[in-house]
Amino acid sequence: MLKLENLSVYYGGIHALRGIDIEVAEGKIITLIGANGAGKSTMLNSIVGLVKSATGKILWNGEDITGNDTKDIVSRGLALVPEGRHVFPNLTVEENLRLGAYARSDHAGIKADHDRCYDLFPRLKERARQHAGTMSGGEQQMLAVARGLMSSPKLLMLDEPSLGLAPLVSKMIFDIIREIHKDGTTVLLIEQNAHAALEIADYAYVLETGVITMQGTGAALLNDDGIRKAYLGEG
Ligand SMILES: Nc1ncnc2c1ncn2[C@@H]1O[C@H](COP(=O)(O)OP(=O)(O)OP(=O)(O)O)[C@@H](O)[C@H]1O
Ligand SMILES: [Mg+2]
């Protein structure tokens, strides 16, 4: 479904991605783990056209979308829930959700996804008229995920959705990711919580300073000694 071929990104003199090759197969949950500064957010931002790549290709169902603008990419069915929430603080929950559907015009579909978001996140339904900026951190994270769903994505990309959340809320976000996936959405997940990410992932990549250094099934990486030491805090 999504393929990156030899993708490189520079920020001035910093070579943030150094020839990345990854593949996201339809219907799977794929995760990317890596230390702070490894280039994880850069990779997602370049997929949705927020960061320009210097070399390489981004292929979506075989079509080259490298360099396309973000609105075009979103309308093809890719959505990014960025790191650090980024909800619109002065708009209500409801208004934030509606903005998630800005690239769509299928009113019946928007209504169905809107209802589904409130089913998945009853807390948001209770708070529909509350300004997003006054919601708790966890609630804002729920809203960011729900807003991503409002674009009706075929591929939902999440950049550290559990960052800063209490364990119970974090678990709830992971449960919802499972549910979204069960409903037919492909997921590309970035997580500091490598253990939880590898547990739900079909396939995983390890990114170190801009290079993919390891890949395999979630289960294989969970059992790898090097991964356990470097990312799972064991040994
Ligand atoms: N706009 C920018 N200008 C200059 N350097 C940047 C910019 N954005 C990111 N970088 C650098 O590129 C590298 C990769 O950053 P990136 O945000 O992709 O890392 P990350 O893996 O998402 O890290 P984290 O886990 O901390 O979110 C870092 O060294 C960072 O300082
Ligand atoms: Mg990041």
Side-chain angles (χ1 to χ4, degrees), residues 189-216:
L189 174 68
I190 288 183
E191 260 295 325
Q192 286 288 322
N193 184 346
H195 198 275
L198 291 173
E199 261 185 348
I200 68 168
D202 294 298
Y203 201 78
Y205 293 91
V206 179
L207 185 64
E208 285 177 20
T209 52
V211 181
I212 300 287
T213 53
M214 208 175 162
Q215 55 182 285

Side-chain angles (χ1 to χ4, degrees), residues 1-32:
M1 160 180 247
L2 177 74
K3 223 173 168 179
L4 306 187
E5 291 180 357
N6 191 33
L7 197 75
S8 280
V9 170
Y10 291 86
Y11 296 111
I14 299 171
H15 198 175
L17 293 182
R18 305 163 178 256
I20 298 289
D21 292 288
I22 73 159
E23 193 165 354
V24 177
E26 188 159 7
K28 304 288 188 203
I29 299 181
I30 306 297
T31 190
L32 179 71

Side-chain angles (χ1 to χ4, degrees), residues 36-56:
N36 293 125
K40 304 179 299 294
S41 299
T42 299
M43 191 183 95
L44 294 194
N45 288 334
S46 61
I47 293 169
V48 296
L50 292 171
V51 165
K52 295 280 167 253
S53 52
T55 67

